[in-house]
Amino acid sequence: MTARERFRRCFSFQKADRLPMLEWAVWWDQTLDAWAKQGLVIAPQPPLTPDEALQRQLGLDLQMQFWISPRTAQTPSPATHGAPIVSSLEEYEAILPTLYPDPIPIDEERLRYAAKLQQAGDAIVWITLEGPFWWPRKLFGIEPHLYAFYDEPELMERMNRDLCDFNLRALEHVCKTLTPDFLTLAEDMSYNLGPMISEEMFDAFLLPSYRRMVPSFQSKGIRVLIDSDGDITKAVPWFLRAGIEGVLPLERQAGVDIAALRAQYPNFLFIGHFDKMCMPKGEVAMREEFERLLPTMRLGGFIPSVDHQTPPSVTLEQYKQYVALLHEYAQKAYQ
């Protein structure tokens, strides 16, 4: 059975020879630097990126992600992380020539190669588009964005109309070459105590964008997930009303409980949730974590993966132990 067949069957709640083995968020540069000092040498496989080549080298199923940004190299950068780029309609319109690029900014050679691998079943291909919470935050800045729901509602709605136009155009372009297996909308709208906005704000400012984009994505046969850090438990029913089919990465340190989520939402899709903080503790701790996840793995619609990027405190040998255990439990889930 191919990697793509396993993925499609898992997300259809059907059994296969094993679960997919994905690293949805490839490794920190600090992690790779540490592993290089421990003997890791990545054998190049162009036109695959080094991260994609390493997935194969470590025995993982190959996933190829294409992040399509509405920014360009000419878009102003914030003075510091999280600082504002614009604060008014006039400032937004002044930088509009640097936003929403046409043609769509994507590596066409890599996209064509991904289509070839996907057709053969050797790669799971997905795209990430920026969502209606993420995008205004990038423009307004982290703190001013939260005030903008009250102070600049019309500008926020304008930003998200323009974003929807771009995202729909981007997907049409990608689908001329391939149909992604799934799509994530980058949001990061939760933290360890839950969503950063209320349900009322979600309905007023985010839901219209989702209802414009999601049906178009799904009409092409693409599964649509939200990418949000933090505790998304409270927001899951909001996403369901928007037509969203799943979520990643389900950060354990934020208190997410996948067993409770699966019991409440039996048809929702999940990727991630393996607690990265247990990995430096060694094989016994990692096995205990897989045992915690195994009952939900057996129910389908869940692909276990590190719940965010593997930290540099995890040695190369420990990561190889993790991959070996992932393979063991990916098989055990269907036994």
Side-chain angles (χ1 to χ4, degrees):
M1 191 167 285
T2 68
R4 191 176 185 223
E5 286 172 334
R6 294 184 190 105
F7 173 85
R8 292 166 71 90
R9 291 184 70 85
C10 178
F11 267 19
S12 298
F13 293 86
Q14 298 174 339
K15 290 192 174 183
D17 58 341
R18 64 165 171 81
L19 284 173
M21 294 173 53
L22 299 183
E23 187 66 271
W24 76 270
V26 291
W27 307 273
W28 286 357
D29 53 356
Q30 299 99 318
T31 302
L32 294 177
D33 289 345
W35 289 356
K37 294 175 183 177
Q38 297 163 29
L40 176 67
V41 177
I42 302 175
Q45 299 180 41
L48 294 180
T49 66
D51 285 332
E52 290 163 353
L54 183 56
Q55 292 175 53
R56 283 181 163 177
Q57 193 169 319
L58 290 170
L60 296 162
D61 293 330
L62 176 63
Q63 59 84 5
M64 299 180 71
Q65 179 191 23
F66 294 82
W67 185 303
I68 306 178
S69 174
R71 288 159 287 187
T72 68
Q74 289 72 46
T75 303
S77 298
T80 58
H81 175 71
I85 298 173
V86 302
S87 58
S88 67
L89 176 61
E90 293 74 22
E91 291 176 356
Y92 176 66
E93 290 185 337
I95 69 166
L96 266 179
T98 76
L99 305 177
Y100 315 113
D102 188 9
I104 297 300
I106 197 165
D107 184 334
E108 299 289 352
E109 178 187 5
R110 181 167 164 261
L111 186 64
R112 288 191 295 270
Y113 187 64
K116 179 180 177 181
L117 293 178
Q118 183 198 48
Q119 187 174 15
D122 295 333
I124 296 150
V125 182
W126 57 299
I127 65 170
T128 295
L129 302 171
E130 300 186 12
F133 185 85
W134 177 291
W135 177 234
R137 180 178 58 192
K138 287 294 183 183
L139 296 173
F140 282 122
I142 293 173
E143 184 175 347
H145 170 232
L146 296 176
Y147 287 103
F149 284 95
Y150 300 92
D151 297 339
E152 293 287 350
E154 293 181 357
L155 177 52
M156 188 179 294
E157 290 171 354
R158 166 74 183 279
M159 291 172 175
N160 280 331
R161 285 197 304 271
D162 293 344
L163 176 70
C164 285
D165 290 340
F166 174 79
N167 283 348
L168 291 167
R169 182 162 52 87
L171 187 66
E172 287 295 331
H173 178 80
V174 169
C175 287
K176 292 175 183 176
T177 303
L178 61 82
T179 300
D181 295 299
F182 72 103
L183 175 155
T184 57
L185 288 165
E187 291 294 33
D188 282 2
M189 59 173 285
S190 293
Y191 68 126
N192 66 326
L193 296 180
M196 298 179 192
I197 57 173
S198 68
E199 185 173 6
E200 291 76 16
M201 288 294 181
F202 178 93
D203 288 349
F205 290 94
L206 277 64
L207 189 58
S209 295
Y210 293 141
R211 286 184 169 165
R212 185 177 170 203
M213 292 187 291
V214 171
S216 178
F217 301 157
Q218 292 171 332
S219 71
K220 301 179 186 302
I222 302 168
R223 314 306 293 261
V224 182
L225 283 69
I226 289 290
D227 174 354
S228 179
D229 298 345
D231 186 354
I232 48 75
T233 303
K234 186 176 180 180
V236 168
W238 311 352
F239 295 141
L240 280 167
R241 288 194 289 105
I244 301 297
E245 299 171 79
V247 67
L248 61 80
L250 303 159
E251 290 186 302
R252 181 61 175 162
Q253 293 300 303
V256 179
D257 181 348
I258 196 168
L261 283 173
R262 171 55 78 227
Q264 193 167 2
Y265 308 107
N267 299 315
F268 212 55
L269 304 174
F270 302 111
I271 299 177
H273 200 53
F274 184 93
D275 186 359
K276 59 187 172 293
M277 303 306 291
C278 79
M279 299 171 79
K281 299 176 183 177
E283 183 176 353
V284 172
M286 287 188 277
R287 185 176 291 279
E288 290 175 352
E289 178 66 359
F290 275 116
E291 288 290 335
R292 181 181 71 85
L293 300 179
L294 184 58
T296 309
M297 292 164 62
R298 286 179 164 146
L299 296 175
F302 168 42
I303 299 173
S305 182
V306 178
D307 67 350
H308 219 291
Q309 290 171 294
T310 302
S313 56
V314 178
T315 68
L316 178 59
E317 184 58 33
Q318 286 168 340
Y319 191 81
K320 289 179 177 179
Q321 290 173 343
Y322 161 77
V323 173
L325 288 168
L326 177 59
H327 188 268
E328 176 186 336
Y329 280 87
Q331 293 178 312
K332 188 177 290 188
Y334 289 149
Q335 292 174 354

